[in-house]
Amino acid sequence: MTVSRPDALTPPAAGGEWPIAPLAESALLVQMGDRIDEALVGRVLALADAIDAAELHGVVDVVPSYTTLMVVFDPERADGDALAAAIRNLAVTTSTQAPAGRVRAIPVAYGGELGPDLEDVAARAGMTPDEVVRRHSGARYRVACMGFAPGFGYLLGLPPELAMPRRATPRARVPAGSVALGGDQAAVYPLTTPGGWHVLGRTPLKLFDLAAPEPIFLQPGDEVRFEPIDRATYDRLDAEQADSPSSRETPATGVRAIEIVKPGALDSVQDLGRPGRMRSGVTPGGACDRAALILGNRLVGNSPDAAGIESTLVGPTLRFHADAVVALTGADAGARLNGRPALNWEPFAVREGDELALGAMRDGARTYLCVAGGIDAPIVLGGRGTDLFGKFGGWQGRALAAGDRLPLGEPLAPAADLLRRRLVAPLVRDSATPVRVVLGPQRDRFTEEGIATLLGAPYAVTPQSDRMGLRLRGPALEHRDGADLISEGIAAGAIQAPGDGQPIVLLPARQTVGGYPKIATVIGADLDRLGQARPGDTLRFAAVDLADARLALLAARAALGPEAVTERARPVSGWSPDDAPEPERNDSVTDAARAWTPTGIADLLERARRSGAVSLDLDIAPIGVHLQARWQAAGLEAAPSMGETGEAAAPGGEIIPAPVLGIFYRRSEPAGPPLAEEGRPVRAGQTIAVLEVMKTYHEVVAPRDGVLARFLVEDGAFVEYGQPLARLTRG
């Protein structure tokens, strides 16, 4: 793009009022008004339809909202300035009349256990429950936009006398089909999710049903009418829905499979996502580190978008039920194949019955396991990946659990050929360099001091981060006009700032629309770095212009193309002599084995301790040695382990280390009793505490029977991986 200012707006349409702002190098935001009304929503939807009909080259998605239209495009196939000019021309020639939408009738059983808030809404509105039902069902609604969850439509048309603030305390669980109101809008929950709207009743219809010809019942522009029914009719219709084909996709079957023996902190099937469905409330999703997944797939001969397993912070233990060629990319999880160190960033072979164990990640947040043939999960809404919030795709729409058997596709090349593959150059990322951003689209909603703070201050990644976004902690970003914003489409990498001024950087599993001002957008070339950011990591930001952002993305994509992988003359080690030639001798392995004697290890430990180090973690992969030590002021707290042998011990008892970084809690819930008491006996495998990280919980268990002498950290403290948590003595 040939725009001089990083956040420059293209000129408005001739005689019009619709400026277009860039969202980094891959999206545009058309601002069509500044207040919510049905006529404006109609103009937004009309322009969206016009863009669809024009089939503008390179457009990936069109996301209408109340006052804006977000257009996502591929910078390799479209120029941002040319696309903005085409949209301006369409805006001039497009009718301002709302396109005719479908009429959707939704039966509702009001009140009782199906509508627990009806009585309260009536009392607040100063009318009877029957009058609330009459007015609510007598109105005509229009779907303005979709967001929050797949199929969740925000409905305009609520009678003003029924408008009221959302619940002070949101519910942890609102059943699917709940008909609700919040503020001056109405909605129907398509999935069972948390929610803070007032629930008036429930419909037996499935508004998100993967078995239906139209899986998503509502779409922007639809007219909605609510029809009251009694409880008996609801029960009958609900029973009929229950007898219909299941909306849960049927997992693919096959003999070749991977079994989850022990899950990690969060494992899920992921591919490159579901582009083009944001207008229906379906997040693009996909791998948080796309480059790692693409390169892993290239190493094992797959299509770049083949599905693999994404693991977060602590990886799983897997058992293979077929011979296969696999590659591990992303963060180093200290993987071990049948107890021996496994390769990273290179393909290696596994045999039927082999077990691959991934541990805690040391240099990032996510590891990817790619298998020749890919994970043969069903294609759902255009992708194989897991939407954890929407509860669909991947493996039964959820995180992987012990006993799951994931079917594998057929490899595209012989194993011996795949084992010759290697990367032409390693994937290098400098975590010390700032994350690059393009300022805007709402930089005017922040003071100059706020913008300078973003570009000058360090921000720490908090444990509350997840696949939806990185929640950061640091100096507050100062707003100029408050933190409320009419909801609009959210681009990947958008940096939004709620009322507390603490930035949130949106990741692949983000909501499709949101209502906080966005000070900047991370450029596409740096998004994968965010996917590897761990709690406690520090991020800094630097502004670049659109031209630099586009060039950086094109260069990053080029580095992931077919030329990123080459072939050796011989396969790498890991395949038996029956299947491949004998690998070349590596004398460095023998030399390393000679060098790493017990005396050498003891000398290394002593030097590390004297240097003031508090921990040491070292894998010597060629000879199968894993060295781990932790120090406190009193001395060594955890002795080194050699391979799979040896027991971590310390004077006065055994130290129980943190299996993953996170926030330490002695209770499973705030008001609950302690999971274990100091001075009391504990059993092997008993949960003594939990660690919360990235909205998942990881149990801390006693390694053997004994007495819990004392905890070594305070409740609610943030702890690092391997940090001593408790001391266990023999009872």
PDB file of all heavy atoms in Angstrom, residues 361 534-537 614-615 630 657-664 691 713 717-725:
ATOM      1  N   MET A 361       7.423 -27.400  28.127  1.00  0.00           N
ATOM      2  CA  MET A 361       8.092 -26.676  27.055  1.00  0.00           C
ATOM      3  C   MET A 361       9.037 -25.640  27.629  1.00  0.00           C
ATOM      4  O   MET A 361       8.724 -24.991  28.615  1.00  0.00           O
ATOM      5  CB  MET A 361       7.054 -26.055  26.129  1.00  0.00           C
ATOM      6  CG  MET A 361       6.261 -27.127  25.409  1.00  0.00           C
ATOM      7  SD  MET A 361       4.698 -26.567  24.733  1.00  0.00           S
ATOM      8  CE  MET A 361       3.845 -28.162  24.584  1.00  0.00           C
ATOM      9  N   ARG A 534       4.922 -17.082  26.285  1.00  0.00           N
ATOM     10  CA  ARG A 534       4.588 -17.786  27.520  1.00  0.00           C
ATOM     11  C   ARG A 534       4.228 -16.791  28.619  1.00  0.00           C
ATOM     12  O   ARG A 534       4.686 -15.646  28.599  1.00  0.00           O
ATOM     13  CB  ARG A 534       5.800 -18.596  28.005  1.00  0.00           C
ATOM     14  CG  ARG A 534       6.292 -19.653  27.072  1.00  0.00           C
ATOM     15  CD  ARG A 534       7.725 -20.051  27.401  1.00  0.00           C
ATOM     16  NE  ARG A 534       7.893 -20.493  28.771  1.00  0.00           N
ATOM     17  CZ  ARG A 534       7.733 -21.758  29.164  1.00  0.00           C
ATOM     18  NH1 ARG A 534       7.393 -22.680  28.282  1.00  0.00           N
ATOM     19  NH2 ARG A 534       7.919 -22.097  30.420  1.00  0.00           N
ATOM     20  N   PRO A 535       3.407 -17.224  29.577  1.00  0.00           N
ATOM     21  CA  PRO A 535       3.190 -16.355  30.738  1.00  0.00           C
ATOM     22  C   PRO A 535       4.522 -15.957  31.373  1.00  0.00           C
ATOM     23  O   PRO A 535       5.395 -16.796  31.591  1.00  0.00           O
ATOM     24  CB  PRO A 535       2.370 -17.247  31.673  1.00  0.00           C
ATOM     25  CG  PRO A 535       1.632 -18.163  30.765  1.00  0.00           C
ATOM     26  CD  PRO A 535       2.601 -18.455  29.645  1.00  0.00           C
ATOM     27  N   GLY A 536       4.673 -14.678  31.633  1.00  0.00           N
ATOM     28  CA  GLY A 536       5.921 -14.162  32.179  1.00  0.00           C
ATOM     29  C   GLY A 536       6.836 -13.569  31.131  1.00  0.00           C
ATOM     30  O   GLY A 536       7.741 -12.794  31.466  1.00  0.00           O
ATOM     31  N   ASP A 537       6.656 -13.920  29.852  1.00  0.00           N
ATOM     32  CA  ASP A 537       7.467 -13.329  28.795  1.00  0.00           C
ATOM     33  C   ASP A 537       7.181 -11.834  28.696  1.00  0.00           C
ATOM     34  O   ASP A 537       6.083 -11.365  29.018  1.00  0.00           O
ATOM     35  CB  ASP A 537       7.177 -13.985  27.445  1.00  0.00           C
ATOM     36  CG  ASP A 537       7.813 -15.353  27.300  1.00  0.00           C
ATOM     37  OD1 ASP A 537       8.546 -15.770  28.226  1.00  0.00           O
ATOM     38  OD2 ASP A 537       7.573 -16.019  26.268  1.00  0.00           O
ATOM     39  N   VAL A 614      19.827 -20.158  39.590  1.00  0.00           N
ATOM     40  CA  VAL A 614      18.828 -20.783  40.456  1.00  0.00           C
ATOM     41  C   VAL A 614      18.285 -22.070  39.844  1.00  0.00           C
ATOM     42  O   VAL A 614      17.594 -22.827  40.509  1.00  0.00           O
ATOM     43  CB  VAL A 614      17.666 -19.818  40.744  1.00  0.00           C
ATOM     44  CG1 VAL A 614      18.150 -18.619  41.529  1.00  0.00           C
ATOM     45  CG2 VAL A 614      16.979 -19.383  39.458  1.00  0.00           C
ATOM     46  N   SER A 615      18.582 -22.302  38.559  1.00  0.00           N
ATOM     47  CA  SER A 615      18.121 -23.545  37.943  1.00  0.00           C
ATOM     48  C   SER A 615      19.020 -23.896  36.767  1.00  0.00           C
ATOM     49  O   SER A 615      19.698 -23.037  36.201  1.00  0.00           O
ATOM     50  CB  SER A 615      16.673 -23.417  37.460  1.00  0.00           C
ATOM     51  OG  SER A 615      16.574 -22.477  36.417  1.00  0.00           O
ATOM     52  N   ARG A 630      17.767 -27.463  40.651  1.00  0.00           N
ATOM     53  CA  ARG A 630      17.183 -26.228  41.175  1.00  0.00           C
ATOM     54  C   ARG A 630      17.917 -25.875  42.455  1.00  0.00           C
ATOM     55  O   ARG A 630      18.203 -26.759  43.281  1.00  0.00           O
ATOM     56  CB  ARG A 630      15.683 -26.409  41.473  1.00  0.00           C
ATOM     57  CG  ARG A 630      14.865 -26.807  40.254  1.00  0.00           C
ATOM     58  CD  ARG A 630      14.684 -25.638  39.285  1.00  0.00           C
ATOM     59  NE  ARG A 630      13.852 -26.021  38.158  1.00  0.00           N
ATOM     60  CZ  ARG A 630      14.332 -26.474  37.008  1.00  0.00           C
ATOM     61  NH1 ARG A 630      15.637 -26.623  36.841  1.00  0.00           N
ATOM     62  NH2 ARG A 630      13.512 -26.795  36.025  1.00  0.00           N
ATOM     63  N   PRO A 657       8.333 -30.314  42.476  1.00  0.00           N
ATOM     64  CA  PRO A 657       8.473 -29.119  41.640  1.00  0.00           C
ATOM     65  C   PRO A 657       7.203 -28.824  40.854  1.00  0.00           C
ATOM     66  O   PRO A 657       6.312 -29.671  40.714  1.00  0.00           O
ATOM     67  CB  PRO A 657       9.613 -29.508  40.695  1.00  0.00           C
ATOM     68  CG  PRO A 657       9.440 -30.988  40.524  1.00  0.00           C
ATOM     69  CD  PRO A 657       8.909 -31.511  41.842  1.00  0.00           C
ATOM     70  N   ALA A 658       7.130 -27.619  40.313  1.00  0.00           N
ATOM     71  CA  ALA A 658       5.989 -27.226  39.480  1.00  0.00           C
ATOM     72  C   ALA A 658       6.079 -27.946  38.139  1.00  0.00           C
ATOM     73  O   ALA A 658       7.077 -27.818  37.432  1.00  0.00           O
ATOM     74  CB  ALA A 658       5.977 -25.715  39.268  1.00  0.00           C
ATOM     75  N   PRO A 659       5.041 -28.694  37.750  1.00  0.00           N
ATOM     76  CA  PRO A 659       5.080 -29.396  36.466  1.00  0.00           C
ATOM     77  C   PRO A 659       4.886 -28.465  35.279  1.00  0.00           C
ATOM     78  O   PRO A 659       5.099 -28.852  34.136  1.00  0.00           O
ATOM     79  CB  PRO A 659       3.915 -30.391  36.585  1.00  0.00           C
ATOM     80  CG  PRO A 659       2.966 -29.734  37.528  1.00  0.00           C
ATOM     81  CD  PRO A 659       3.811 -28.974  38.509  1.00  0.00           C
ATOM     82  N   VAL A 660       4.444 -27.240  35.544  1.00  0.00           N
ATOM     83  CA  VAL A 660       4.228 -26.243  34.508  1.00  0.00           C
ATOM     84  C   VAL A 660       4.190 -24.889  35.201  1.00  0.00           C
ATOM     85  O   VAL A 660       3.940 -24.806  36.406  1.00  0.00           O
ATOM     86  CB  VAL A 660       2.897 -26.522  33.759  1.00  0.00           C
ATOM     87  CG1 VAL A 660       1.714 -26.377  34.699  1.00  0.00           C
ATOM     88  CG2 VAL A 660       2.735 -25.612  32.558  1.00  0.00           C
ATOM     89  N   LEU A 661       4.491 -23.813  34.477  1.00  0.00           N
ATOM     90  CA  LEU A 661       4.377 -22.496  35.092  1.00  0.00           C
ATOM     91  C   LEU A 661       2.910 -22.127  35.244  1.00  0.00           C
ATOM     92  O   LEU A 661       2.039 -22.660  34.556  1.00  0.00           O
ATOM     93  CB  LEU A 661       5.126 -21.451  34.274  1.00  0.00           C
ATOM     94  CG  LEU A 661       4.827 -21.299  32.781  1.00  0.00           C
ATOM     95  CD1 LEU A 661       3.539 -20.590  32.516  1.00  0.00           C
ATOM     96  CD2 LEU A 661       5.973 -20.557  32.107  1.00  0.00           C
ATOM     97  N   GLY A 662       2.601 -21.235  36.157  1.00  0.00           N
ATOM     98  CA  GLY A 662       1.218 -20.823  36.360  1.00  0.00           C
ATOM     99  C   GLY A 662       0.997 -20.221  37.733  1.00  0.00           C
ATOM    100  O   GLY A 662       1.949 -19.972  38.488  1.00  0.00           O
ATOM    101  N   ILE A 663      -0.254 -19.980  38.065  1.00  0.00           N
ATOM    102  CA  ILE A 663      -0.625 -19.439  39.373  1.00  0.00           C
ATOM    103  C   ILE A 663      -0.954 -20.609  40.298  1.00  0.00           C
ATOM    104  O   ILE A 663      -1.756 -21.478  39.960  1.00  0.00           O
ATOM    105  CB  ILE A 663      -1.827 -18.486  39.253  1.00  0.00           C
ATOM    106  CG1 ILE A 663      -1.474 -17.321  38.307  1.00  0.00           C
ATOM    107  CG2 ILE A 663      -2.224 -17.941  40.622  1.00  0.00           C
ATOM    108  CD1 ILE A 663      -2.620 -16.366  38.066  1.00  0.00           C
ATOM    109  N   PHE A 664      -0.343 -20.614  41.460  1.00  0.00           N
ATOM    110  CA  PHE A 664      -0.431 -21.725  42.413  1.00  0.00           C
ATOM    111  C   PHE A 664      -1.630 -21.541  43.338  1.00  0.00           C
ATOM    112  O   PHE A 664      -1.825 -20.476  43.927  1.00  0.00           O
ATOM    113  CB  PHE A 664       0.865 -21.781  43.231  1.00  0.00           C
ATOM    114  CG  PHE A 664       0.854 -22.802  44.333  1.00  0.00           C
ATOM    115  CD1 PHE A 664       1.162 -24.126  44.085  1.00  0.00           C
ATOM    116  CD2 PHE A 664       0.546 -22.428  45.642  1.00  0.00           C
ATOM    117  CE1 PHE A 664       1.159 -25.063  45.107  1.00  0.00           C
ATOM    118  CE2 PHE A 664       0.538 -23.351  46.671  1.00  0.00           C
ATOM    119  CZ  PHE A 664       0.850 -24.681  46.399  1.00  0.00           C
ATOM    120  N   LEU A 691      -2.347 -25.657  39.433  1.00  0.00           N
ATOM    121  CA  LEU A 691      -1.733 -24.515  38.784  1.00  0.00           C
ATOM    122  C   LEU A 691      -2.648 -24.058  37.648  1.00  0.00           C
ATOM    123  O   LEU A 691      -3.055 -24.873  36.813  1.00  0.00           O
ATOM    124  CB  LEU A 691      -0.355 -24.866  38.229  1.00  0.00           C
ATOM    125  CG  LEU A 691       0.719 -25.200  39.266  1.00  0.00           C
ATOM    126  CD1 LEU A 691       1.965 -25.735  38.589  1.00  0.00           C
ATOM    127  CD2 LEU A 691       1.067 -23.958  40.084  1.00  0.00           C
ATOM    128  N   VAL A 713       5.617 -22.099  48.555  1.00  0.00           N
ATOM    129  CA  VAL A 713       5.154 -20.873  47.891  1.00  0.00           C
ATOM    130  C   VAL A 713       3.807 -20.471  48.488  1.00  0.00           C
ATOM    131  O   VAL A 713       3.090 -21.299  49.050  1.00  0.00           O
ATOM    132  CB  VAL A 713       5.019 -21.058  46.358  1.00  0.00           C
ATOM    133  CG1 VAL A 713       6.367 -21.305  45.727  1.00  0.00           C
ATOM    134  CG2 VAL A 713       4.060 -22.191  46.039  1.00  0.00           C
ATOM    135  N   ALA A 717       0.411 -17.340  44.253  1.00  0.00           N
ATOM    136  CA  ALA A 717       1.670 -16.856  43.693  1.00  0.00           C
ATOM    137  C   ALA A 717       1.881 -17.419  42.292  1.00  0.00           C
ATOM    138  O   ALA A 717       1.453 -18.533  41.972  1.00  0.00           O
ATOM    139  CB  ALA A 717       2.840 -17.245  44.593  1.00  0.00           C
ATOM    140  N   PHE A 718       2.556 -16.650  41.442  1.00  0.00           N
ATOM    141  CA  PHE A 718       2.952 -17.138  40.122  1.00  0.00           C
ATOM    142  C   PHE A 718       4.264 -17.905  40.269  1.00  0.00           C
ATOM    143  O   PHE A 718       5.209 -17.420  40.882  1.00  0.00           O
ATOM    144  CB  PHE A 718       3.130 -15.976  39.149  1.00  0.00           C
ATOM    145  CG  PHE A 718       3.571 -16.412  37.772  1.00  0.00           C
ATOM    146  CD1 PHE A 718       2.657 -16.954  36.882  1.00  0.00           C
ATOM    147  CD2 PHE A 718       4.894 -16.297  37.381  1.00  0.00           C
ATOM    148  CE1 PHE A 718       3.062 -17.364  35.624  1.00  0.00           C
ATOM    149  CE2 PHE A 718       5.306 -16.706  36.127  1.00  0.00           C
ATOM    150  CZ  PHE A 718       4.385 -17.237  35.241  1.00  0.00           C
ATOM    151  N   VAL A 719       4.305 -19.118  39.702  1.00  0.00           N
ATOM    152  CA  VAL A 719       5.508 -19.947  39.826  1.00  0.00           C
ATOM    153  C   VAL A 719       6.002 -20.328  38.436  1.00  0.00           C
ATOM    154  O   VAL A 719       5.229 -20.427  37.482  1.00  0.00           O
ATOM    155  CB  VAL A 719       5.236 -21.223  40.658  1.00  0.00           C
ATOM    156  CG1 VAL A 719       4.812 -20.861  42.062  1.00  0.00           C
ATOM    157  CG2 VAL A 719       4.188 -22.107  40.005  1.00  0.00           C
ATOM    158  N   GLU A 720       7.291 -20.551  38.335  1.00  0.00           N
ATOM    159  CA  GLU A 720       7.906 -20.978  37.084  1.00  0.00           C
ATOM    160  C   GLU A 720       7.942 -22.504  37.012  1.00  0.00           C
ATOM    161  O   GLU A 720       7.852 -23.195  38.030  1.00  0.00           O
ATOM    162  CB  GLU A 720       9.335 -20.429  36.976  1.00  0.00           C
ATOM    163  CG  GLU A 720       9.414 -18.920  36.878  1.00  0.00           C
ATOM    164  CD  GLU A 720       9.008 -18.402  35.516  1.00  0.00           C
ATOM    165  OE1 GLU A 720       8.818 -19.239  34.602  1.00  0.00           O
ATOM    166  OE2 GLU A 720       8.878 -17.177  35.356  1.00  0.00           O
ATOM    167  N   TYR A 721       8.083 -23.010  35.798  1.00  0.00           N
ATOM    168  CA  TYR A 721       8.262 -24.449  35.612  1.00  0.00           C
ATOM    169  C   TYR A 721       9.471 -24.935  36.410  1.00  0.00           C
ATOM    170  O   TYR A 721      10.544 -24.348  36.362  1.00  0.00           O
ATOM    171  CB  TYR A 721       8.456 -24.758  34.125  1.00  0.00           C
ATOM    172  CG  TYR A 721       9.088 -26.102  33.850  1.00  0.00           C
ATOM    173  CD1 TYR A 721       8.394 -27.279  34.129  1.00  0.00           C
ATOM    174  CD2 TYR A 721      10.368 -26.183  33.319  1.00  0.00           C
ATOM    175  CE1 TYR A 721       8.970 -28.509  33.888  1.00  0.00           C
ATOM    176  CE2 TYR A 721      10.948 -27.412  33.071  1.00  0.00           C
ATOM    177  CZ  TYR A 721      10.249 -28.572  33.356  1.00  0.00           C
ATOM    178  OH  TYR A 721      10.823 -29.791  33.116  1.00  0.00           O
ATOM    179  N   GLY A 722       9.299 -26.019  37.170  1.00  0.00           N
ATOM    180  CA  GLY A 722      10.381 -26.603  37.943  1.00  0.00           C
ATOM    181  C   GLY A 722      10.621 -25.969  39.292  1.00  0.00           C
ATOM    182  O   GLY A 722      11.425 -26.473  40.083  1.00  0.00           O
ATOM    183  N   GLN A 723       9.934 -24.854  39.605  1.00  0.00           N
ATOM    184  CA  GLN A 723      10.140 -24.189  40.886  1.00  0.00           C
ATOM    185  C   GLN A 723       9.643 -25.093  42.016  1.00  0.00           C
ATOM    186  O   GLN A 723       8.563 -25.680  41.922  1.00  0.00           O
ATOM    187  CB  GLN A 723       9.394 -22.860  40.914  1.00  0.00           C
ATOM    188  CG  GLN A 723       9.548 -22.082  42.211  1.00  0.00           C
ATOM    189  CD  GLN A 723       8.884 -20.729  42.145  1.00  0.00           C
ATOM    190  OE1 GLN A 723       8.695 -20.168  41.062  1.00  0.00           O
ATOM    191  NE2 GLN A 723       8.513 -20.181  43.294  1.00  0.00           N
ATOM    192  N   PRO A 724      10.389 -25.232  43.116  1.00  0.00           N
ATOM    193  CA  PRO A 724       9.923 -26.055  44.241  1.00  0.00           C
ATOM    194  C   PRO A 724       8.615 -25.532  44.818  1.00  0.00           C
ATOM    195  O   PRO A 724       8.487 -24.343  45.129  1.00  0.00           O
ATOM    196  CB  PRO A 724      11.063 -25.954  45.253  1.00  0.00           C
ATOM    197  CG  PRO A 724      12.271 -25.619  44.438  1.00  0.00           C
ATOM    198  CD  PRO A 724      11.768 -24.735  43.329  1.00  0.00           C
ATOM    199  N   LEU A 725       7.626 -26.419  44.952  1.00  0.00           N
ATOM    200  CA  LEU A 725       6.319 -26.035  45.478  1.00  0.00           C
ATOM    201  C   LEU A 725       6.082 -26.536  46.892  1.00  0.00           C
ATOM    202  O   LEU A 725       5.421 -25.881  47.684  1.00  0.00           O
ATOM    203  CB  LEU A 725       5.206 -26.579  44.573  1.00  0.00           C
ATOM    204  CG  LEU A 725       5.205 -26.129  43.119  1.00  0.00           C
ATOM    205  CD1 LEU A 725       4.039 -26.781  42.377  1.00  0.00           C
ATOM    206  CD2 LEU A 725       5.118 -24.620  43.014  1.00  0.00           C
TER     207      LEU A 725
END
